[in-house]
Amino acid sequence: MSELAQYNMHEAKSQLSRIVERVEHGETVVISRAGKPVAKVVPLTDVRRRTGRGSLAGRISYAHDWDSAEVNEEIAADFGLLS
């Protein structure tokens, strides 16, 4: 197994595009602070692409009262939006 690419924090900030490009090509990159590894940037393995509008049709169901005044008031109250 090859050694992982490693960047210090300053390099990572200034070379983010290069790091993302490496990761897009399957590499894993380690980011370090003061020589200590603190983060790992890895490729996403299961990226799902939606095919467009309606691609979730028939897969989502709503409660009968999902948009009722009572439900909307409860949500507003939860977020402190009622006076």
Side-chain angles (χ1 to χ4, degrees):
M1 183 171 133
S2 64
E3 190 170 318
L4 299 177
Q6 188 164 339
Y7 291 82
N8 67 40
M9 192 65 68
H10 177 74
E11 289 174 321
K13 288 194 293 187
S14 64
Q15 297 186 35
L16 180 60
S17 294
R18 180 175 288 152
I19 290 170
V20 170
E21 188 174 320
R22 290 180 77 160
V23 172
E24 286 176 327
H25 287 94
E27 291 186 55
T28 297
V29 175
V30 173
I31 299 174
S32 301
R33 177 178 284 146
K36 179 182 175 190
V38 295
K40 187 188 298 185
V41 184
V42 298
L44 291 176
T45 56
D46 188 20
V47 177
R48 297 192 186 245
R49 305 228 185 263
R50 291 190 46 199
T51 58
R53 287 185 175 223
S55 64
L56 297 177
R59 298 182 187 190
I60 298 175
S61 61
Y62 300 99
H64 71 281
D65 64 345
W66 74 273
D67 196 26
S68 68
E70 294 82 19
V71 171
N72 289 332
E73 286 177 17
E74 288 177 27
I75 293 170
D78 288 343
F79 285 93
L81 301 175
L82 293 179
S83 29

